[in-house]
Amino acid sequence: MMNDIKITMLGTTSAGKTCYMIAMYAKMSEGVKGFTLGTTDPDKDIHLSDMWEKLESETGDSRWPRPTGEESQSYQFDFSYGFKRLMRFDWLDYRGGALRDDSSKKDVQDLTEQLLKSSCVFLCVSGEFLKEGANPQVVKKARIDRMNNPFMQKLTDSGRVVPVVIVITKYDLCSHRSKEQVLKDIRQLFNPLFAKGEGWPVMICPVTLGEGLANDINSGLINPHQVHLPLIFAIYSEYLQNTLNKQNEVETVYQTTQDLEQELQEARSRGWLTILIDDFKGRDPVGNVRGKLKQANQKLAQHSAEFEKLATRLHLLMQELDTEAVSIYLDGEELRMEK
Ligand SMILES: Nc1nc2c(ncn2[C@@H]2O[C@H](COP(=O)(O)OP(=O)(O)OP(=O)(O)O)[C@@H](O)[C@H]2O)c(=O)[nH]1
Ligand SMILES: [Mg+2]
């Protein structure tokens, strides 16, 4: 079973973090193409489902969750395919104000701690700041300056490069612009993540709770789009790492079996005098090596089967990401997923 991971979404006050989490959960607990999400704590499931029901059935201010307070909420989710658990991950829902508070506040400390242990970071920018072109006010208002420094800087100082998803929340508010223009703005706003040779894997993913919300926030239809894709990318990245590690293990064990085959050959072709001495001393080099080879072959079969399983799931996740809806970059170069 793969290790649990942490995912941190950075975003300022009212960026749409809590709504994104509620929608992501609602959409994925129904299932998206076989992928599902569940909370490990049934009370949290009820809490999230209640908030989703409000969003769908109420109108006006009361449909929206209240701004998150200083008491951050932590959630643990199971991400599954065909009801088989692929990965468990921790999520922290905190108030966006924590991005600009000093580190004496408990929630700022919790957020920093969670971020430094995260396997994937979601940077959240609301579409309301992308209605027109990118400019220095956007950087301030969306707190992109704070996301970059101190938060991303701290992560980098700890010596890590992690996959990043730039989630454009409330995309309905900027969908009148061409996608290319919005992507260009994002690349400019977060330019350090697109720096050549720095190795950042970055996905840009627009999401919305409903296209009709742009014109009618009070009663526009709730119909979330693409809310599962950032998660798929986070889990894909973790699977990729695990699959590569497993491939290395398979290669190492394979090399051991080759070495042992060689040793067996040598043991079998001992001269008659050596055989006599070995027999006399009760030594059995052939049996010995054969035993080791058997064990190594069993290990190879086990690792190979694990590798196959990882590779199959990796492929499945990769196929999900092969969509026009998202753009994936490495070192600032756009990647196209291979099927
Ligand atoms: N147009 C539009 N508005 C949205 C969407 N999602 C959220 N909103 C609006 O954005 C407001 C803030 O969303 P929240 O999810 O509470 O924001 P937050 O990032 O959790 O804010 P804090 O808890 O204060 O950090 C909501 O009350 C909605 O009015 C969306 O997809 N489209
Ligand atoms: Mg919130």
Side-chain angles (χ1 to χ4, degrees):
M1 179 49 63
M2 295 187 39
N3 291 335
D4 300 356
I5 62 164
K6 291 186 194 304
I7 300 175
T8 301
M9 180 176 239
L10 292 178
T12 189
T13 311
S14 196
K17 300 181 294 300
T18 305
C19 288
Y20 171 74
M21 180 188 63
I22 300 168
M24 164 186 91
Y25 185 68
K27 191 93 181 150
M28 293 212 59
S29 45
E30 285 168 16
V32 178
K33 299 190 184 164
F35 295 103
T36 48
L37 205 58
T39 54
T40 54
D41 175 353
D43 292 348
K44 301 253 164 156
D45 170 70
I46 293 173
H47 177 63
L48 288 172
S49 310
D50 283 352
M51 291 206 280
W52 170 249
E53 240 180 77
K54 266 192 176 172
L55 271 176
E56 275 199 308
S57 58
E58 296 196 11
T59 53
D61 267 359
S62 63
R63 74 191 314 202
W64 299 106
R66 278 203 297 273
T68 311
E70 280 189 31
E71 279 292 301
S72 304
Q73 302 290 320
S74 56
Y75 296 84
Q76 193 171 51
F77 295 106
D78 277 334
F79 182 88
S80 307
Y81 181 70
F83 291 126
K84 294 220 181 81
R85 196 175 90 189
L86 296 188
M87 195 165 285
R88 177 167 284 181
F89 68 92
D90 296 331
W91 183 276
L92 189 70
D93 192 35
Y94 61 94
R95 81 192 154 100
L99 281 192
R100 61 186 146 83
D101 252 341
D102 63 69
S103 56
S104 62
K105 290 267 168 60
K106 169 90 170 61
D107 63 347
V108 181
Q109 291 163 11
D110 290 347
L111 171 61
T112 310
E113 193 183 318
Q114 162 100 0
L115 174 72
L116 294 182
K117 291 186 193 151
S118 289
S119 304
C120 185
V121 178
F122 293 0
L123 301 174
C124 172
V125 188
S126 163
E128 69 190 278
F129 299 122
L130 298 165
K131 285 179 181 168
E132 289 146 32
N135 58 51
Q137 278 92 49
V138 172
V139 176
K140 281 268 167 259
K141 283 189 193 149
R143 297 273 166 206
I144 292 171
D145 47 353
R146 298 289 293 173
M147 287 193 236
N148 285 341
N149 194 8
F151 287 95
M152 289 306 284
Q153 190 64 52
K154 270 188 191 150
L155 189 75
T156 324
D157 289 346
S158 71
R160 301 178 58 214
V161 165
V162 296
V164 174
V165 184
I166 301 174
V167 184
I168 309 174
T169 46
K170 313 189 197 179
Y171 189 66
D172 51 288
L173 295 176
C174 65
S175 57
H176 55 277
R177 294 184 69 203
S178 82
K179 198 177 152 211
E180 281 65 38
Q181 278 179 327
V182 175
L183 291 181
K184 196 167 154 237
D185 285 352
I186 292 288
R187 289 201 302 269
Q188 186 188 326
L189 292 166
F190 292 95
N191 60 80
L193 290 174
F194 298 89
K196 294 237 177 314
E198 295 310 311
W200 291 99
V202 183
M203 178 169 110
I204 304 178
C205 181
V207 300
T208 171
L209 260 64
E211 277 160 359
L213 292 170
N215 296 323
D216 184 2
I217 191 81
N218 291 323
S219 50
L221 184 71
I222 299 288
N223 180 22
H225 282 298
Q226 289 158 204
V227 283
H228 68 302
L229 293 173
L231 266 189
I232 302 257
F233 184 69
I235 287 158
Y236 165 79
S237 303
E238 194 63 19
Y239 260 82
L240 181 62
Q241 195 53 54
N242 280 273
T243 310
L244 293 175
N245 291 346
K246 190 50 80 182
Q247 190 176 16
N248 281 340
E249 281 179 46
V250 169
E251 275 162 18
T252 310
V253 182
Y254 176 72
Q255 192 51 51
T256 310
T257 61
Q258 295 302 99
D259 293 348
L260 286 167
E261 291 278 5
Q262 175 77 23
E263 237 180 90
L264 189 62
Q265 285 293 336
E266 284 164 15
R268 278 192 180 130
S269 51
R270 288 167 299 161
W272 66 269
L273 189 59
T274 320
I275 294 177
L276 202 69
I277 296 170
D278 281 341
D279 279 353
F280 186 72
K281 296 204 165 172
R283 290 193 295 233
D284 178 14
V286 172
N288 217 345
V289 180
R290 226 190 247 135
K292 282 190 199 160
L293 186 59
K294 191 175 163 202
Q295 273 182 358
N297 275 328
Q298 278 168 351
K299 206 166 160 187
L300 182 63
Q302 188 197 331
H303 281 308
S304 301
E306 285 168 6
F307 171 77
E308 286 300 323
K309 202 167 165 187
L310 284 169
T312 308
R313 289 179 170 176
L314 183 71
H315 187 71
L316 195 77
L317 292 161
M318 192 160 76
Q319 277 179 326
E320 260 321 286
L321 293 172
D322 184 25
T323 151
E324 291 292 316
V326 299
S327 307
I328 298 174
Y329 302 82
L330 182 68
D331 274 341
E333 294 286 331
E334 187 167 2
L335 302 180
R336 280 277 125 231
M337 286 287 172
E338 278 174 37
K339 280 196 200 149

